[in-house]
Amino acid sequence: MSFIGIIAENKDFKYIKNIILKKINNANKFEIININKNSINNLKNVKFETIAICSSLDKFKENYSNVKNILSNVKYLIINADEKIDKNILEDLEFDIITYGLNQKSTITASSISQDNVIVCLQRNIKNINNKIIEANEFNIKSDKNGNETIYNILAYVTILLVYEDIIF
């Protein structure tokens, strides 16, 4: 079983997790866990395969050693590039980093946003968990008009799905 950790506000975590579980083929192969300041001490020895940092790490300042310990074992680190992340926490760690956000340098960004859909752009090739290369491409994501749907939540779940599934949106 693979563990996917998501650092996000609780409502955002629930939204991202629900969408992933709806869209992923083998949901029983994964455990998606919310990492927050209350759970970090209990999760410090869990070996996550992937961590998605969807919100600022400022609330973890007193637990940076636990965060660094968790990050030391991951294969993929997915980061909201529009959030302020202290780069010192990432020093001397080895993993594949995939960024998402609304800036031009992110690996995954939105090229068009409308009321009914979002065109998500994979700007560079990435290698998924099965070592398959996902080539630069655009995906049309239909809006589900959920109250917790934000562009960042959409980019987060699309990124996680690209890493774990051979998905065509």
Side-chain angles (χ1 to χ4, degrees), residues 59-133:
K59 58 187 159 254
F60 294 101
K61 285 208 186 253
E62 63 263 5
N63 292 312
Y64 261 16
S65 62
N66 290 340
V67 173
K68 192 152 184 141
N69 185 51
I70 288 172
L71 292 177
S72 68
N73 295 308
V74 302
K75 183 172 181 178
Y76 287 95
L77 181 64
I78 297 168
I79 299 177
N80 180 345
D82 294 340
E83 286 286 343
K84 181 183 165 212
I85 306 289
D86 182 1
K87 306 254 189 287
N88 293 329
I89 201 163
L90 305 177
E91 285 182 351
D92 303 323
L93 297 175
E94 291 186 30
F95 34 63
D96 291 334
I97 296 179
I98 302 171
T99 58
Y100 71 88
L102 296 178
N103 65 67
Q104 295 176 345
K105 293 184 179 183
S106 292
T107 305
I108 297 177
T109 190
S111 58
S112 175
I113 303 170
S114 72
Q115 251 183 330
D116 297 330
N117 62 28
V118 176
I119 305 294
V120 175
C121 179
L122 173 61
Q123 298 193 101
R124 290 178 284 288
N125 295 352
I126 60 172
K127 191 183 295 187
N128 75 5
I129 205 76
N130 300 316
N131 287 321
K132 179 181 177 191
I133 300 293

Side-chain angles (χ1 to χ4, degrees), residues 5-67:
I6 299 177
I7 297 173
E9 298 299 321
N10 197 41
K11 65 180 174 38
D12 295 330
F13 166 77
K14 286 179 182 178
Y15 174 79
I16 293 167
K17 179 180 178 179
N18 287 337
I19 295 292
I20 290 170
L21 293 177
K22 282 181 195 173
K23 294 195 180 267
I24 208 156
N25 290 327
N26 294 316
N28 57 348
K29 294 190 324 186
F30 307 100
E31 183 67 35
I32 302 172
I33 300 170
N34 189 11
I35 301 172
N36 57 46
K37 67 180 184 176
N38 296 326
S39 67
I40 189 78
N41 288 329
N42 296 329
L43 299 172
K44 63 185 173 190
N45 295 319
V46 174
K47 295 201 187 252
F48 289 93
E49 187 170 52
T50 300
I51 297 284
I53 301 175
C54 303
S55 64
S56 172
L57 293 177
D58 288 345
K59 58 187 159 254
F60 294 101
K61 285 208 186 253
E62 63 263 5
N63 292 312
Y64 261 16
S65 62
N66 290 340
V67 173

